[in-house]
Amino acid sequence: MKILDLFGVDGYGVVVTGGASGIGLGYAEALASNGARVTLLDVDAERIDKETKRLSGEGFDIRGEVVDVTDHAALDAAIDDAARTYGKLDVVFANAGIDPGVGFVGDWVGEQRPRIAKGAIENYTDERWNRVIDINLNGIFATVRAAVRHMKPRKSGHIIVTSSLASTRVEPAIGAAYMAAKAGVVQFMRTVALEVAAYNITVNAIAPGYIVTNIGGGHAHDPEEQRAVARVIPSHRIGYPEDLYGLALFFASRASDYITGQEVIIDGGYGLGVAD
Ligand SMILES: NC(=O)c1ccc[n+]([C@@H]2O[C@H](COP(=O)([O-])OP(=O)(O)OC[C@H]3O[C@@H](n4cnc5c(N)ncnc54)[C@H](O)[C@@H]3O)[C@@H](O)[C@H]2O)c1
């Protein structure tokens, strides 16, 4: 058995939501640079344009479409388009998500303890709560539903959802609705995995810890924040989308064919506690 027989994705038809930035863009690069044909779906038209041009320029098979995952009809149409283009859909990353900003638990990360007062639950608006649930949970539901519609008839496919360390751990620096949405994503992932296992479709979750991306206004690019967070991560470094390449290829390829309904945390040990 050669490595490419196990981990190869050459010619695969792939869709990534939230694919124009950060972790989704990383998934796209990991697969496209190994011969997969990848469609980026994202609400950010400028980034879609920039990244599809850049990756096409590198010789990768990339297309992009502007889609808001809260618009389920548009999302269905875009996934149908991708499947039509490739003649099949092998892999779907349900990844688009937002961090709504701190509250109601606390408002600071790093060496200081989170402060409790600002953004308390009494002041948390329906609008804020619903927006997060709409994108981070309902968007994942709609993406996975569209993927299954294409994969079930072919009795083949790999679906990967992006959850978070926040699916099990309360992270005061992130908006409170985020925790509920991510926990929901994981249990939803397990439920779908059980339903579609007989159709040779796997459904798994990648749960990143602290990864430098543009989420939450891009605060993770701040060197001071990076130093503070690296200090409390047991491996003493922050993560980058490249750190997810291996797991993305694993879950997308036949190497993981007999694994389904699982969440794998990838966080440099952040969720374990402090080692020194
Ligand atoms: N960065 C981290 O530390 C971290 C940790 C755990 C989980 N995650 C999760 O990873 C996923 C990707 O986030 P990221 O960190 O790469 O952030 P990012 O902001 O760099 O990328 C997210 C992408 O999703 C897109 N998007 C947002 N709302 C959308 C919508 N309604 N429809 C379509 N696209 C939309 C954005 O335009 C952006 O391009 C999210 O689900 C996030 O919750 C991130």
Side-chain angles (χ1 to χ4, degrees):
M1 179 66 78
K2 299 286 187 197
I3 197 161
L4 278 181
D5 296 329
L6 276 174
F7 293 93
V9 293
D10 194 30
Y12 277 22
V14 179
V15 168
V16 186
T17 68
S21 170
I23 289 169
L25 184 58
Y27 293 153
E29 296 203 56
L31 271 82
S33 59
N34 284 285
R37 310 177 68 193
V38 182
T39 294
L40 312 177
L41 303 182
D42 203 290
V43 75
D44 188 330
E46 233 173 84
R47 277 212 175 103
I48 280 270
D49 186 53
K50 180 177 146 219
E51 297 303 341
T52 47
K53 280 186 182 140
R54 179 178 68 82
L55 294 171
S56 301
E58 290 182 30
F60 300 153
D61 189 334
I62 296 278
R63 54 194 289 282
E65 241 182 90
V66 179
V67 174
D68 186 327
V69 296
T70 65
D71 181 344
H72 296 186
L75 182 63
D76 283 347
I79 291 178
D80 288 351
D81 256 10
R84 208 173 304 120
T85 303
Y86 304 137
K88 60 180 181 159
L89 207 51
D90 298 292
V91 181
V92 171
F93 288 92
N95 165 78
I98 58 161
D99 170 6
V102 290
F104 45 74
V105 182
D107 70 353
W108 187 239
V109 67
E111 291 175 303
Q112 299 178 35
R113 291 308 305 155
R115 283 173 281 160
I116 302 297
K118 198 173 152 198
I121 188 167
E122 303 93 287
N123 305 319
Y124 213 77
T125 63
D126 285 353
E127 249 175 328
R128 201 163 170 199
W129 179 270
N130 290 337
R131 183 166 155 64
V132 181
I133 300 295
D134 231 17
I135 297 172
N136 292 15
L137 180 58
N138 300 344
I140 298 279
F141 156 68
T143 306
V144 172
R145 178 178 62 184
V148 168
R149 283 178 181 152
H150 287 281
M151 292 173 177
K152 216 166 166 178
R154 293 184 61 241
K155 289 201 165 70
S156 170
H158 291 106
I159 298 171
I160 301 105
V161 305
T162 307
S163 59
S164 169
L165 201 51
S167 69
T168 48
R169 199 175 97 145
V170 176
E171 176 50 77
I174 304 171
Y178 188 95
M179 261 66 74
K182 291 299 185 183
V185 159
V186 174
Q187 196 64 335
F188 165 70
M189 173 276 293
R190 290 194 189 105
T191 310
V192 184
L194 178 63
E195 168 166 330
V196 301
Y199 296 89
N200 195 32
I201 302 168
T202 66
V203 193
N204 291 292
I206 293 178
Y210 184 95
I211 308 293
V212 178
T213 70
N214 295 310
I215 201 163
H219 57 81
H221 294 286
D222 172 17
E224 210 176 303
E225 179 181 303
Q226 292 185 355
R227 273 193 296 276
V229 176
R231 233 170 270 141
V232 297
I233 293 178
S235 63
H236 291 311
R237 73 166 180 87
I238 50 172
Y240 292 90
E242 294 90 312
D243 287 306
L244 278 65
Y245 282 8
L247 193 52
L249 279 168
F250 175 66
F251 277 142
S253 63
R254 59 173 295 213
S256 61
D257 267 358
Y258 203 51
I259 300 174
T260 196
Q262 302 304 308
E263 181 185 39
V264 176
I265 294 170
I266 181 157
D267 69 345
Y270 200 12
L272 296 173
V274 179
D276 53 34

